[in-house]
Amino acid sequence: MPHLAHIALVVRDYDEALAFYVGRLGFTLVEDTDQPEQNKRWVTIRPPGAPENTTTLLLARAATPEQAAFIGNQSGGRVFLFLATDDFERDHEAFTAAGVTWVRPPTEQPYGKVAVFADLYGNLWDLVQFAR
């Protein structure tokens, strides 16, 4: 069956992106392989606690000015990625303690509890605990 293997996230620098996603948010580094012939690295991460076969984020360093223009605005200012959690309060507190910038405070919605944060580049993410 077809499935999404990776979602590319355009970043300015691999190491600063890893410091944020792995260092602050607790994502797992799946792979970081140098590709010298292409002057890039293959860097993939997954959310903390996600299964090994889950879709990963591919941290894709911008290689041209056109690509760099989309850093932090890959979805035209809308929420770009949705990070589901089984314990909203735990993760909201942990992200807050790690210095995450909240754009919208926690709210209760018919689909669950949600808050919006910005990553280090300004991309918007939902932290969401879906209602049962």
Side-chain angles (χ1 to χ4, degrees):
M1 283 313 276
H3 68 279
L4 289 175
H6 312 286
I7 297 172
L9 179 64
V10 181
V11 301
R12 182 176 36 244
D13 177 81
Y14 297 115
D15 294 324
E16 75 178 0
L18 286 170
F20 180 80
Y21 292 109
V22 175
R24 291 172 107 185
L25 298 186
F27 277 55
T28 300
L29 176 61
V30 176
E31 183 175 356
D32 187 351
T33 303
D34 192 35
Q35 296 183 325
E37 67 284 353
Q38 296 180 24
N39 190 30
K40 67 179 185 178
R41 289 158 53 187
W42 181 262
V43 180
T44 58
I45 59 175
R46 68 174 174 254
E52 287 188 23
N53 63 345
T54 195
T55 302
T56 63
L57 284 179
L58 170 68
L59 302 180
R61 187 190 68 210
T64 67
E66 293 80 16
Q67 292 172 2
F70 289 95
I71 296 170
N73 192 24
Q74 289 192 210
S75 62
R78 294 185 59 105
V79 170
F80 177 50
L81 296 166
F82 299 77
L83 188 59
T85 178
D86 62 351
D87 188 333
F88 183 90
E89 284 73 22
R90 175 198 66 212
D91 292 332
H92 185 268
E93 287 176 21
F95 288 5
T96 300
V100 166
T101 300
W102 295 99
V103 177
R104 288 184 218 131
T107 61
E108 294 282 345
Q109 299 295 329
Y111 57 84
K113 191 165 194 173
V114 63
V116 179
F117 68 93
D119 69 14
L120 75 162
Y121 300 113
N123 293 301
L124 299 180
W125 292 62
D126 270 4
L127 175 65
V128 59
Q129 183 173 4
F130 291 106
R132 302 203 188 283

